[in-house]
Amino acid sequence: MTEWRKSTYSVNGTDCVEIGHGVGVRDSKAPATHIALGPGAWTAFLTATKADKLTR
C-alpha cells in the first residue's frame, strides 16, 4: 500500500496535490487515479516547479 503525502502548500486540505513514494502524483479530489512518474520525470517536474516554468 502506498503512503500518500499532501503538499505542504495546501491551504485548506482539499485542493491538494498528493505524492506517493515510487508511484507518482494524484489530485486529492480524485484519489482513485494517479499519474505515474519515474525518477527522471519527477526530477524534471521538481526542477520546472522550482524555476516557476509551469503554466497554469
Side-chain angles (χ1 to χ4, degrees):
M1 180 162 184
T2 300
E3 180 180 330
W4 293 91
R5 296 182 335 200
K6 289 188 181 189
S7 169
T8 57
Y9 290 96
S10 174
V11 177
N12 62 13
T14 59
D15 297 327
C16 308
V17 171
E18 296 179 329
I19 304 163
H21 180 71
V23 177
V25 296
R26 70 181 184 183
D27 184 335
S28 63
K29 294 181 302 272
T33 60
H34 70 276
I35 299 171
L37 296 175
W42 179 246
T43 299
F45 173 75
L46 289 179
T47 300
T49 301
K50 290 175 183 177
D52 200 24
K53 299 279 185 181
L54 301 177
T55 59
R56 295 181 184 168

